[in-house]
Amino acid sequence: MKKSFFPNNKIVIASHNAGKVREIRDLIIPFGFEIASAADYGCEEPDETETTFEGNALLKARFVAEHCQCAALADDSGLVVPALGGEPGVYSARWAGENRDFNVAMAKVSERLTPDMDTRAYFVCALALVCPDGTELTFTGMCHGRLQFPPKGTFGFGYDPIFVMDGQMRTFGEMPYEEKKLYSHRTEAFKKFKTFLESC
Ligand code: IMP
């Protein structure tokens, strides 16, 4: 493993979301890193002010790398609907309002996407790694499909109940986590990151 990337053999996960931290930790633990979360360092989360997933992931990783003086890994993800000019995009979480109610967010998508419009959509996940030696890398995964209304299924989170991946009949909301994981944008981004770690 390249020493300058990970000088203290440590990676701080730049998220306060326990689920995300667990998922990322599981993936990178086999590489022998010491793993910590931003919360372990009492590090706040910066505002996501960029206009791209990669930009926001880098912004979060940079903030934590500087605060903790360690390599930091952050992710940013969301749903892109080309017929809506790319919305909700980087604002996917914000469309759910202060109560984080994704029924509200999905209803908003449904209202704006009139029946004559193209229902194609894709999920994006950008992972950013920022190292103390100044190295900055991003790994992006995508999952293409279409939107279907009304929402279906109780698995997953966010926009899963309205998203049907290409080649599938059921929404992500109707797929148990282990099945969605086979195809998801997050898995694809993580695979790229894993390939990078294996090449270090
Ligand atoms: P983030 O925490 O800033 O990355 O926010 C991502 C938002 O995008 C989430 O709150 C969800 O609304 C949406 N999103 C990202 N990935 C998924 C997914 O796999 N399924 C459903 N919604 C997702």
Side-chain angles (χ1 to χ4, degrees):
M1 196 61 64
K2 205 169 159 193
K3 259 276 187 244
S4 64
F5 289 165
F6 310 105
N8 39 15
N9 201 39
K10 197 170 197 175
I11 298 184
V12 181
I13 302 167
S15 173
H16 287 253
N17 177 325
K20 259 190 202 176
V21 172
R22 197 177 328 113
E23 215 174 287
I24 301 177
R25 187 191 293 267
D26 281 356
L27 179 100
I28 50 185
I29 253 185
F31 290 89
F33 291 109
E34 193 185 325
I35 316 286
S37 78
D40 296 332
Y41 280 84
C43 182
E44 301 285 311
E45 276 190 294
D47 290 336
E48 298 179 13
T49 51
E50 293 291 335
T51 54
T52 62
F53 296 104
E54 286 81 3
N56 277 329
L58 278 168
L59 175 152
K60 290 186 263 189
R62 261 184 221 128
F63 185 84
V64 170
E66 194 164 313
H67 185 277
C68 307
Q69 290 299 303
C70 281
L73 188 67
D75 88 330
D76 196 50
S77 56
L79 176 73
V80 176
V81 186
L84 298 182
E87 291 197 282
V90 292
Y91 307 107
S92 292
R94 277 168 263 184
W95 271 37
E98 283 194 357
N99 294 333
R100 290 280 180 261
D101 183 346
F102 280 93
N103 289 318
V104 169
M106 289 187 287
K108 229 186 249 184
V109 176
S110 168
E111 273 161 30
R112 298 200 187 178
L113 204 65
T114 51
D116 56 307
M117 285 165 104
D118 188 346
T119 58
R120 270 177 295 182
Y122 55 92
F123 279 121
V124 179
C125 173
L127 273 181
L129 175 72
V130 173
C131 302
D133 70 351
T135 303
E136 295 193 344
L137 296 165
T138 58
F139 309 87
T140 302
M142 289 188 192
C143 181
H144 290 267
R146 65 191 162 77
L147 301 178
Q148 177 187 285
F149 303 98
K152 274 192 189 164
T154 53
F155 291 117
F157 66 99
Y159 298 87
D160 280 341
I162 56 170
F163 184 80
V164 181
M165 196 194 137
D166 287 343
Q168 299 289 322
M169 303 294 284
R170 291 166 301 149
T171 67
F172 269 175
E174 295 173 288
M175 284 185 190
Y177 172 66
E178 289 304 323
E179 191 180 350
K180 174 186 166 188
K181 208 170 89 174
L182 297 175
Y183 317 114
S184 92
H185 45 305
R186 201 161 287 105
T187 302
E188 195 188 319
F190 280 145
K191 272 189 196 158
K192 290 183 182 171
F193 178 56
K194 216 171 145 186
T195 303
F196 160 74
L197 288 179
E198 282 160 357
S199 74
C200 275

mmCIF file with all atom_site columns, all heavy atoms in Angstrom, residues 113-139:
data_model
loop_
_atom_site.group_PDB
_atom_site.id
_atom_site.type_symbol
_atom_site.label_atom_id
_atom_site.label_alt_id
_atom_site.label_comp_id
_atom_site.label_asym_id
_atom_site.label_entity_id
_atom_site.label_seq_id
_atom_site.pdbx_PDB_ins_code
_atom_site.Cartn_x
_atom_site.Cartn_y
_atom_site.Cartn_z
_atom_site.occupancy
_atom_site.B_iso_or_equiv
_atom_site.pdbx_formal_charge
_atom_site.auth_seq_id
_atom_site.auth_comp_id
_atom_site.auth_asym_id
_atom_site.auth_atom_id
_atom_site.pdbx_PDB_model_num
ATOM 1   N N   . LEU A 1 113 ? -43.053 15.265 -13.680 1.00 0.00 ? 113 LEU A N   1
ATOM 2   C CA  . LEU A 1 113 ? -42.840 14.405 -14.843 1.00 0.00 ? 113 LEU A CA  1
ATOM 3   C C   . LEU A 1 113 ? -44.201 14.092 -15.472 1.00 0.00 ? 113 LEU A C   1
ATOM 4   O O   . LEU A 1 113 ? -44.814 13.082 -15.160 1.00 0.00 ? 113 LEU A O   1
ATOM 5   C CB  . LEU A 1 113 ? -42.126 13.131 -14.400 1.00 0.00 ? 113 LEU A CB  1
ATOM 6   C CG  . LEU A 1 113 ? -41.327 12.378 -15.446 1.00 0.00 ? 113 LEU A CG  1
ATOM 7   C CD1 . LEU A 1 113 ? -40.143 13.192 -15.956 1.00 0.00 ? 113 LEU A CD1 1
ATOM 8   C CD2 . LEU A 1 113 ? -40.826 11.064 -14.870 1.00 0.00 ? 113 LEU A CD2 1
ATOM 9   N N   . THR A 1 114 ? -44.646 14.957 -16.360 1.00 0.00 ? 114 THR A N   1
ATOM 10  C CA  . THR A 1 114 ? -45.967 14.767 -16.975 1.00 0.00 ? 114 THR A CA  1
ATOM 11  C C   . THR A 1 114 ? -45.931 13.535 -17.906 1.00 0.00 ? 114 THR A C   1
ATOM 12  O O   . THR A 1 114 ? -44.848 13.125 -18.338 1.00 0.00 ? 114 THR A O   1
ATOM 13  C CB  . THR A 1 114 ? -46.360 16.034 -17.760 1.00 0.00 ? 114 THR A CB  1
ATOM 14  O OG1 . THR A 1 114 ? -45.288 16.380 -18.617 1.00 0.00 ? 114 THR A OG1 1
ATOM 15  C CG2 . THR A 1 114 ? -46.662 17.184 -16.806 1.00 0.00 ? 114 THR A CG2 1
ATOM 16  N N   . PRO A 1 115 ? -47.110 12.931 -18.216 1.00 0.00 ? 115 PRO A N   1
ATOM 17  C CA  . PRO A 1 115 ? -47.144 11.653 -18.928 1.00 0.00 ? 115 PRO A CA  1
ATOM 18  C C   . PRO A 1 115 ? -46.423 11.653 -20.280 1.00 0.00 ? 115 PRO A C   1
ATOM 19  O O   . PRO A 1 115 ? -45.987 10.603 -20.749 1.00 0.00 ? 115 PRO A O   1
ATOM 20  C CB  . PRO A 1 115 ? -48.648 11.395 -19.114 1.00 0.00 ? 115 PRO A CB  1
ATOM 21  C CG  . PRO A 1 115 ? -49.303 12.191 -18.053 1.00 0.00 ? 115 PRO A CG  1
ATOM 22  C CD  . PRO A 1 115 ? -48.441 13.381 -17.804 1.00 0.00 ? 115 PRO A CD  1
ATOM 23  N N   . ASP A 1 116 ? -46.294 12.815 -20.911 1.00 0.00 ? 116 ASP A N   1
ATOM 24  C CA  . ASP A 1 116 ? -45.615 12.862 -22.221 1.00 0.00 ? 116 ASP A CA  1
ATOM 25  C C   . ASP A 1 116 ? -44.087 12.855 -22.083 1.00 0.00 ? 116 ASP A C   1
ATOM 26  O O   . ASP A 1 116 ? -43.371 12.800 -23.082 1.00 0.00 ? 116 ASP A O   1
ATOM 27  C CB  . ASP A 1 116 ? -46.032 14.139 -22.968 1.00 0.00 ? 116 ASP A CB  1
ATOM 28  C CG  . ASP A 1 116 ? -45.755 15.390 -22.136 1.00 0.00 ? 116 ASP A CG  1
ATOM 29  O OD1 . ASP A 1 116 ? -46.219 15.436 -20.969 1.00 0.00 ? 116 ASP A OD1 1
ATOM 30  O OD2 . ASP A 1 116 ? -45.057 16.300 -22.630 1.00 0.00 ? 116 ASP A OD2 1
ATOM 31  N N   . MET A 1 117 ? -43.592 12.922 -20.864 1.00 0.00 ? 117 MET A N   1
ATOM 32  C CA  . MET A 1 117 ? -42.141 13.064 -20.690 1.00 0.00 ? 117 MET A CA  1
ATOM 33  C C   . MET A 1 117 ? -41.425 11.727 -20.572 1.00 0.00 ? 117 MET A C   1
ATOM 34  O O   . MET A 1 117 ? -42.010 10.732 -20.160 1.00 0.00 ? 117 MET A O   1
ATOM 35  C CB  . MET A 1 117 ? -41.851 13.924 -19.451 1.00 0.00 ? 117 MET A CB  1
ATOM 36  C CG  . MET A 1 117 ? -42.110 15.390 -19.686 1.00 0.00 ? 117 MET A CG  1
ATOM 37  S SD  . MET A 1 117 ? -42.169 16.272 -18.135 1.00 0.00 ? 117 MET A SD  1
ATOM 38  C CE  . MET A 1 117 ? -40.624 17.072 -18.131 1.00 0.00 ? 117 MET A CE  1
ATOM 39  N N   . ASP A 1 118 ? -40.143 11.756 -20.932 1.00 0.00 ? 118 ASP A N   1
ATOM 40  C CA  . ASP A 1 118 ? -39.288 10.572 -20.877 1.00 0.00 ? 118 ASP A CA  1
ATOM 41  C C   . ASP A 1 118 ? -39.046 10.197 -19.408 1.00 0.00 ? 118 ASP A C   1
ATOM 42  O O   . ASP A 1 118 ? -38.629 11.048 -18.618 1.00 0.00 ? 118 ASP A O   1
ATOM 43  C CB  . ASP A 1 118 ? -37.962 10.956 -21.563 1.00 0.00 ? 118 ASP A CB  1
ATOM 44  C CG  . ASP A 1 118 ? -37.035 9.770  -21.746 1.00 0.00 ? 118 ASP A CG  1
ATOM 45  O OD1 . ASP A 1 118 ? -37.270 8.719  -21.126 1.00 0.00 ? 118 ASP A OD1 1
ATOM 46  O OD2 . ASP A 1 118 ? -36.070 9.914  -22.512 1.00 0.00 ? 118 ASP A OD2 1
ATOM 47  N N   . THR A 1 119 ? -39.300 8.936  -19.087 1.00 0.00 ? 119 THR A N   1
ATOM 48  C CA  . THR A 1 119 ? -39.169 8.527  -17.682 1.00 0.00 ? 119 THR A CA  1
ATOM 49  C C   . THR A 1 119 ? -37.778 7.994  -17.329 1.00 0.00 ? 119 THR A C   1
ATOM 50  O O   . THR A 1 119 ? -37.564 7.530  -16.209 1.00 0.00 ? 119 THR A O   1
ATOM 51  C CB  . THR A 1 119 ? -40.205 7.424  -17.332 1.00 0.00 ? 119 THR A CB  1
ATOM 52  O OG1 . THR A 1 119 ? -39.982 6.324  -18.225 1.00 0.00 ? 119 THR A OG1 1
ATOM 53  C CG2 . THR A 1 119 ? -41.627 7.926  -17.453 1.00 0.00 ? 119 THR A CG2 1
ATOM 54  N N   . ARG A 1 120 ? -36.860 8.052  -18.290 1.00 0.00 ? 120 ARG A N   1
ATOM 55  C CA  . ARG A 1 120 ? -35.528 7.526  -17.969 1.00 0.00 ? 120 ARG A CA  1
ATOM 56  C C   . ARG A 1 120 ? -34.866 8.307  -16.844 1.00 0.00 ? 120 ARG A C   1
ATOM 57  O O   . ARG A 1 120 ? -35.058 9.532  -16.719 1.00 0.00 ? 120 ARG A O   1
ATOM 58  C CB  . ARG A 1 120 ? -34.622 7.531  -19.208 1.00 0.00 ? 120 ARG A CB  1
ATOM 59  C CG  . ARG A 1 120 ? -34.742 6.224  -19.980 1.00 0.00 ? 120 ARG A CG  1
ATOM 60  C CD  . ARG A 1 120 ? -33.916 6.246  -21.217 1.00 0.00 ? 120 ARG A CD  1
ATOM 61  N NE  . ARG A 1 120 ? -34.441 7.272  -22.128 1.00 0.00 ? 120 ARG A NE  1
ATOM 62  C CZ  . ARG A 1 120 ? -33.940 7.504  -23.324 1.00 0.00 ? 120 ARG A CZ  1
ATOM 63  N NH1 . ARG A 1 120 ? -32.904 6.813  -23.760 1.00 0.00 ? 120 ARG A NH1 1
ATOM 64  N NH2 . ARG A 1 120 ? -34.460 8.419  -24.111 1.00 0.00 ? 120 ARG A NH2 1
ATOM 65  N N   . ALA A 1 121 ? -34.090 7.580  -16.022 1.00 0.00 ? 121 ALA A N   1
ATOM 66  C CA  . ALA A 1 121 ? -33.417 8.208  -14.878 1.00 0.00 ? 121 ALA A CA  1
ATOM 67  C C   . ALA A 1 121 ? -32.209 7.365  -14.510 1.00 0.00 ? 121 ALA A C   1
ATOM 68  O O   . ALA A 1 121 ? -32.102 6.219  -14.953 1.00 0.00 ? 121 ALA A O   1
ATOM 69  C CB  . ALA A 1 121 ? -34.379 8.274  -13.696 1.00 0.00 ? 121 ALA A CB  1
ATOM 70  N N   . TYR A 1 122 ? -31.316 7.950  -13.745 1.00 0.00 ? 122 TYR A N   1
ATOM 71  C CA  . TYR A 1 122 ? -30.203 7.129  -13.231 1.00 0.00 ? 122 TYR A CA  1
ATOM 72  C C   . TYR A 1 122 ? -29.751 7.621  -11.871 1.00 0.00 ? 122 TYR A C   1
ATOM 73  O O   . TYR A 1 122 ? -29.885 8.800  -11.540 1.00 0.00 ? 122 TYR A O   1
ATOM 74  C CB  . TYR A 1 122 ? -29.031 7.063  -14.218 1.00 0.00 ? 122 TYR A CB  1
ATOM 75  C CG  . TYR A 1 122 ? -28.458 8.389  -14.671 1.00 0.00 ? 122 TYR A CG  1
ATOM 76  C CD1 . TYR A 1 122 ? -27.387 8.969  -13.998 1.00 0.00 ? 122 TYR A CD1 1
ATOM 77  C CD2 . TYR A 1 122 ? -28.976 9.047  -15.782 1.00 0.00 ? 122 TYR A CD2 1
ATOM 78  C CE1 . TYR A 1 122 ? -26.843 10.186 -14.428 1.00 0.00 ? 122 TYR A CE1 1
ATOM 79  C CE2 . TYR A 1 122 ? -28.436 10.257 -16.212 1.00 0.00 ? 122 TYR A CE2 1
ATOM 80  C CZ  . TYR A 1 122 ? -27.386 10.819 -15.527 1.00 0.00 ? 122 TYR A CZ  1
ATOM 81  O OH  . TYR A 1 122 ? -26.866 12.027 -15.948 1.00 0.00 ? 122 TYR A OH  1
ATOM 82  N N   . PHE A 1 123 ? -29.249 6.648  -11.092 1.00 0.00 ? 123 PHE A N   1
ATOM 83  C CA  . PHE A 1 123 ? -28.636 6.984  -9.810  1.00 0.00 ? 123 PHE A CA  1
ATOM 84  C C   . PHE A 1 123 ? -27.139 7.161  -10.036 1.00 0.00 ? 123 PHE A C   1
ATOM 85  O O   . PHE A 1 123 ? -26.530 6.471  -10.863 1.00 0.00 ? 123 PHE A O   1
ATOM 86  C CB  . PHE A 1 123 ? -28.811 5.837  -8.801  1.00 0.00 ? 123 PHE A CB  1
ATOM 87  C CG  . PHE A 1 123 ? -30.150 5.809  -8.118  1.00 0.00 ? 123 PHE A CG  1
ATOM 88  C CD1 . PHE A 1 123 ? -30.974 4.688  -8.232  1.00 0.00 ? 123 PHE A CD1 1
ATOM 89  C CD2 . PHE A 1 123 ? -30.582 6.867  -7.337  1.00 0.00 ? 123 PHE A CD2 1
ATOM 90  C CE1 . PHE A 1 123 ? -32.198 4.638  -7.581  1.00 0.00 ? 123 PHE A CE1 1
ATOM 91  C CE2 . PHE A 1 123 ? -31.805 6.825  -6.678  1.00 0.00 ? 123 PHE A CE2 1
ATOM 92  C CZ  . PHE A 1 123 ? -32.617 5.711  -6.798  1.00 0.00 ? 123 PHE A CZ  1
ATOM 93  N N   . VAL A 1 124 ? -26.557 8.068  -9.274  1.00 0.00 ? 124 VAL A N   1
ATOM 94  C CA  . VAL A 1 124 ? -25.104 8.289  -9.319  1.00 0.00 ? 124 VAL A CA  1
ATOM 95  C C   . VAL A 1 124 ? -24.556 8.208  -7.907  1.00 0.00 ? 124 VAL A C   1
ATOM 96  O O   . VAL A 1 124 ? -25.200 8.672  -6.951  1.00 0.00 ? 124 VAL A O   1
ATOM 97  C CB  . VAL A 1 124 ? -24.767 9.700  -9.879  1.00 0.00 ? 124 VAL A CB  1
ATOM 98  C CG1 . VAL A 1 124 ? -23.258 9.929  -9.909  1.00 0.00 ? 124 VAL A CG1 1
ATOM 99  C CG2 . VAL A 1 124 ? -25.350 9.903  -11.262 1.00 0.00 ? 124 VAL A CG2 1
ATOM 100 N N   . CYS A 1 125 ? -23.380 7.602  -7.769  1.00 0.00 ? 125 CYS A N   1
ATOM 101 C CA  . CYS A 1 125 ? -22.655 7.654  -6.498  1.00 0.00 ? 125 CYS A CA  1
ATOM 102 C C   . CYS A 1 125 ? -21.208 8.038  -6.815  1.00 0.00 ? 125 CYS A C   1
ATOM 103 O O   . CYS A 1 125 ? -20.556 7.363  -7.604  1.00 0.00 ? 125 CYS A O   1
ATOM 104 C CB  . CYS A 1 125 ? -22.689 6.299  -5.801  1.00 0.00 ? 125 CYS A CB  1
ATOM 105 S SG  . CYS A 1 125 ? -21.636 6.266  -4.330  1.00 0.00 ? 125 CYS A SG  1
ATOM 106 N N   . ALA A 1 126 ? -20.756 9.127  -6.211  1.00 0.00 ? 126 ALA A N   1
ATOM 107 C CA  . ALA A 1 126 ? -19.348 9.532  -6.368  1.00 0.00 ? 126 ALA A CA  1
ATOM 108 C C   . ALA A 1 126 ? -18.650 9.351  -5.029  1.00 0.00 ? 126 ALA A C   1
ATOM 109 O O   . ALA A 1 126 ? -19.130 9.833  -3.999  1.00 0.00 ? 126 ALA A O   1
ATOM 110 C CB  . ALA A 1 126 ? -19.268 10.988 -6.815  1.00 0.00 ? 126 ALA A CB  1
ATOM 111 N N   . LEU A 1 127 ? -17.538 8.622  -5.070  1.00 0.00 ? 127 LEU A N   1
ATOM 112 C CA  . LEU A 1 127 ? -16.710 8.451  -3.868  1.00 0.00 ? 127 LEU A CA  1
ATOM 113 C C   . LEU A 1 127 ? -15.478 9.332  -4.065  1.00 0.00 ? 127 LEU A C   1
ATOM 114 O O   . LEU A 1 127 ? -14.908 9.332  -5.152  1.00 0.00 ? 127 LEU A O   1
ATOM 115 C CB  . LEU A 1 127 ? -16.200 7.019  -3.782  1.00 0.00 ? 127 LEU A CB  1
ATOM 116 C CG  . LEU A 1 127 ? -17.004 5.936  -3.119  1.00 0.00 ? 127 LEU A CG  1
ATOM 117 C CD1 . LEU A 1 127 ? -16.217 4.636  -3.184  1.00 0.00 ? 127 LEU A CD1 1
ATOM 118 C CD2 . LEU A 1 127 ? -17.303 6.284  -1.675  1.00 0.00 ? 127 LEU A CD2 1
ATOM 119 N N   . ALA A 1 128 ? -15.074 10.037 -3.041  1.00 0.00 ? 128 ALA A N   1
ATOM 120 C CA  . ALA A 1 128 ? -13.863 10.861 -3.146  1.00 0.00 ? 128 ALA A CA  1
ATOM 121 C C   . ALA A 1 128 ? -12.884 10.471 -2.056  1.00 0.00 ? 128 ALA A C   1
ATOM 122 O O   . ALA A 1 128 ? -13.268 10.299 -0.893  1.00 0.00 ? 128 ALA A O   1
ATOM 123 C CB  . ALA A 1 128 ? -14.204 12.338 -3.037  1.00 0.00 ? 128 ALA A CB  1
ATOM 124 N N   . LEU A 1 129 ? -11.631 10.327 -2.470  1.00 0.00 ? 129 LEU A N   1
ATOM 125 C CA  . LEU A 1 129 ? -10.546 10.044 -1.525  1.00 0.00 ? 129 LEU A CA  1
ATOM 126 C C   . LEU A 1 129 ? -9.598  11.239 -1.538  1.00 0.00 ? 129 LEU A C   1
ATOM 127 O O   . LEU A 1 129 ? -9.136  11.650 -2.606  1.00 0.00 ? 129 LEU A O   1
ATOM 128 C CB  . LEU A 1 129 ? -9.785  8.789  -1.963  1.00 0.00 ? 129 LEU A CB  1
ATOM 129 C CG  . LEU A 1 129 ? -8.541  8.445  -1.142  1.00 0.00 ? 129 LEU A CG  1
ATOM 130 C CD1 . LEU A 1 129 ? -8.940  7.916  0.245   1.00 0.00 ? 129 LEU A CD1 1
ATOM 131 C CD2 . LEU A 1 129 ? -7.671  7.418  -1.855  1.00 0.00 ? 129 LEU A CD2 1
ATOM 132 N N   . VAL A 1 130 ? -9.356  11.815 -0.366  1.00 0.00 ? 130 VAL A N   1
ATOM 133 C CA  . VAL A 1 130 ? -8.398  12.918 -0.257  1.00 0.00 ? 130 VAL A CA  1
ATOM 134 C C   . VAL A 1 130 ? -7.331  12.502 0.742   1.00 0.00 ? 130 VAL A C   1
ATOM 135 O O   . VAL A 1 130 ? -7.642  12.093 1.871   1.00 0.00 ? 130 VAL A O   1
ATOM 136 C CB  . VAL A 1 130 ? -9.094  14.232 0.172   1.00 0.00 ? 130 VAL A CB  1
ATOM 137 C CG1 . VAL A 1 130 ? -8.061  15.319 0.454   1.00 0.00 ? 130 VAL A CG1 1
ATOM 138 C CG2 . VAL A 1 130 ? -10.050 14.707 -0.942  1.00 0.00 ? 130 VAL A CG2 1
ATOM 139 N N   . CYS A 1 131 ? -6.059  12.554 0.303   1.00 0.00 ? 131 CYS A N   1
ATOM 140 C CA  . CYS A 1 131 ? -4.947  12.082 1.140   1.00 0.00 ? 131 CYS A CA  1
ATOM 141 C C   . CYS A 1 131 ? -4.118  13.261 1.642   1.00 0.00 ? 131 CYS A C   1
ATOM 142 O O   . CYS A 1 131 ? -4.087  14.319 0.999   1.00 0.00 ? 131 CYS A O   1
ATOM 143 C CB  . CYS A 1 131 ? -4.056  11.134 0.336   1.00 0.00 ? 131 CYS A CB  1
ATOM 144 S SG  . CYS A 1 131 ? -4.969  9.723  -0.302  1.00 0.00 ? 131 CYS A SG  1
ATOM 145 N N   . PRO A 1 132 ? -3.414  13.065 2.767   1.00 0.00 ? 132 PRO A N   1
ATOM 146 C CA  . PRO A 1 132 ? -2.620  14.162 3.330   1.00 0.00 ? 132 PRO A CA  1
ATOM 147 C C   . PRO A 1 132 ? -1.518  14.660 2.387   1.00 0.00 ? 132 PRO A C   1
ATOM 148 O O   . PRO A 1 132 ? -1.082  15.797 2.494   1.00 0.00 ? 132 PRO A O   1
ATOM 149 C CB  . PRO A 1 132 ? -2.000  13.554 4.599   1.00 0.00 ? 132 PRO A CB  1
ATOM 150 C CG  . PRO A 1 132 ? -2.830  12.376 4.913   1.00 0.00 ? 132 PRO A CG  1
ATOM 151 C CD  . PRO A 1 132 ? -3.394  11.867 3.627   1.00 0.00 ? 132 PRO A CD  1
ATOM 152 N N   . ASP A 1 133 ? -1.078  13.823 1.422   1.00 0.00 ? 133 ASP A N   1
ATOM 153 C CA  . ASP A 1 133 ? -0.035  14.288 0.486   1.00 0.00 ? 133 ASP A CA  1
ATOM 154 C C   . ASP A 1 133 ? -0.619  15.114 -0.653  1.00 0.00 ? 133 ASP A C   1
ATOM 155 O O   . ASP A 1 133 ? 0.084   15.471 -1.597  1.00 0.00 ? 133 ASP A O   1
ATOM 156 C CB  . ASP A 1 133 ? 0.748   13.085 -0.078  1.00 0.00 ? 133 ASP A CB  1
ATOM 157 C CG  . ASP A 1 133 ? -0.103  12.236 -1.038  1.00 0.00 ? 133 ASP A CG  1
ATOM 158 O OD1 . ASP A 1 133 ? -1.322  12.474 -1.140  1.00 0.00 ? 133 ASP A OD1 1
ATOM 159 O OD2 . ASP A 1 133 ? 0.460   11.333 -1.687  1.00 0.00 ? 133 ASP A OD2 1
ATOM 160 N N   . GLY A 1 134 ? -1.943  15.397 -0.585  1.00 0.00 ? 134 GLY A N   1
ATOM 161 C CA  . GLY A 1 134 ? -2.579  16.236 -1.605  1.00 0.00 ? 134 GLY A CA  1
ATOM 162 C C   . GLY A 1 134 ? -3.237  15.444 -2.724  1.00 0.00 ? 134 GLY A C   1
ATOM 163 O O   . GLY A 1 134 ? -3.898  16.025 -3.587  1.00 0.00 ? 134 GLY A O   1
ATOM 164 N N   . THR A 1 135 ? -3.101  14.119 -2.699  1.00 0.00 ? 135 THR A N   1
ATOM 165 C CA  . THR A 1 135 ? -3.753  13.299 -3.728  1.00 0.00 ? 135 THR A CA  1
ATOM 166 C C   . THR A 1 135 ? -5.268  13.404 -3.579  1.00 0.00 ? 135 THR A C   1
ATOM 167 O O   . THR A 1 135 ? -5.802  13.283 -2.475  1.00 0.00 ? 135 THR A O   1
ATOM 168 C CB  . THR A 1 135 ? -3.338  11.815 -3.575  1.00 0.00 ? 135 THR A CB  1
ATOM 169 O OG1 . THR A 1 135 ? -1.929  11.739 -3.657  1.00 0.00 ? 135 THR A OG1 1
ATOM 170 C CG2 . THR A 1 135 ? -3.981  10.942 -4.634  1.00 0.00 ? 135 THR A CG2 1
ATOM 171 N N   . GLU A 1 136 ? -5.957  13.632 -4.703  1.00 0.00 ? 136 GLU A N   1
ATOM 172 C CA  . GLU A 1 136 ? -7.420  13.665 -4.701  1.00 0.00 ? 136 GLU A CA  1
ATOM 173 C C   . GLU A 1 136 ? -7.929  12.786 -5.842  1.00 0.00 ? 136 GLU A C   1
ATOM 174 O O   . GLU A 1 136 ? -7.541  12.994 -6.991  1.00 0.00 ? 136 GLU A O   1
ATOM 175 C CB  . GLU A 1 136 ? -7.926  15.093 -4.908  1.00 0.00 ? 136 GLU A CB  1
ATOM 176 C CG  . GLU A 1 136 ? -7.567  16.025 -3.765  1.00 0.00 ? 136 GLU A CG  1
ATOM 177 C CD  . GLU A 1 136 ? -8.313  17.349 -3.811  1.00 0.00 ? 136 GLU A CD  1
ATOM 178 O OE1 . GLU A 1 136 ? -8.884  17.689 -4.859  1.00 0.00 ? 136 GLU A OE1 1
ATOM 179 O OE2 . GLU A 1 136 ? -8.329  18.030 -2.790  1.00 0.00 ? 136 GLU A OE2 1
ATOM 180 N N   . LEU A 1 137 ? -8.759  11.817 -5.513  1.00 0.00 ? 137 LEU A N   1
ATOM 181 C CA  . LEU A 1 137 ? -9.277  10.907 -6.539  1.00 0.00 ? 137 LEU A CA  1
ATOM 182 C C   . LEU A 1 137 ? -10.779 10.752 -6.361  1.00 0.00 ? 137 LEU A C   1
ATOM 183 O O   . LEU A 1 137 ? -11.281 10.800 -5.233  1.00 0.00 ? 137 LEU A O   1
ATOM 184 C CB  . LEU A 1 137 ? -8.618  9.526  -6.383  1.00 0.00 ? 137 LEU A CB  1
ATOM 185 C CG  . LEU A 1 137 ? -7.107  9.452  -6.617  1.00 0.00 ? 137 LEU A CG  1
ATOM 186 C CD1 . LEU A 1 137 ? -6.558  8.137  -6.085  1.00 0.00 ? 137 LEU A CD1 1
ATOM 187 C CD2 . LEU A 1 137 ? -6.794  9.603  -8.090  1.00 0.00 ? 137 LEU A CD2 1
ATOM 188 N N   . THR A 1 138 ? -11.472 10.544 -7.493  1.00 0.00 ? 138 THR A N   1
ATOM 189 C CA  . THR A 1 138 ? -12.903 10.222 -7.388  1.00 0.00 ? 138 THR A CA  1
ATOM 190 C C   . THR A 1 138 ? -13.200 8.941  -8.167  1.00 0.00 ? 138 THR A C   1
ATOM 191 O O   . THR A 1 138 ? -12.521 8.632  -9.155  1.00 0.00 ? 138 THR A O   1
ATOM 192 C CB  . THR A 1 138 ? -13.810 11.368 -7.918  1.00 0.00 ? 138 THR A CB  1
ATOM 193 O OG1 . THR A 1 138 ? -13.477 11.623 -9.265  1.00 0.00 ? 138 THR A OG1 1
ATOM 194 C CG2 . THR A 1 138 ? -13.685 12.619 -7.086  1.00 0.00 ? 138 THR A CG2 1
ATOM 195 N N   . PHE A 1 139 ? -14.213 8.225  -7.703  1.00 0.00 ? 139 PHE A N   1
ATOM 196 C CA  . PHE A 1 139 ? -14.637 6.959  -8.307  1.00 0.00 ? 139 PHE A CA  1
ATOM 197 C C   . PHE A 1 139 ? -16.160 7.051  -8.424  1.00 0.00 ? 139 PHE A C   1
ATOM 198 O O   . PHE A 1 139 ? -16.843 7.190  -7.404  1.00 0.00 ? 139 PHE A O   1
ATOM 199 C CB  . PHE A 1 139 ? -14.256 5.779  -7.407  1.00 0.00 ? 139 PHE A CB  1
ATOM 200 C CG  . PHE A 1 139 ? -12.809 5.800  -6.991  1.00 0.00 ? 139 PHE A CG  1
ATOM 201 C CD1 . PHE A 1 139 ? -12.416 6.501  -5.853  1.00 0.00 ? 139 PHE A CD1 1
ATOM 202 C CD2 . PHE A 1 139 ? -11.841 5.160  -7.748  1.00 0.00 ? 139 PHE A CD2 1
ATOM 203 C CE1 . PHE A 1 139 ? -11.082 6.552  -5.467  1.00 0.00 ? 139 PHE A CE1 1
ATOM 204 C CE2 . PHE A 1 139 ? -10.503 5.207  -7.371  1.00 0.00 ? 139 PHE A CE2 1
ATOM 205 C CZ  . PHE A 1 139 ? -10.120 5.902  -6.227  1.00 0.00 ? 139 PHE A CZ  1
#
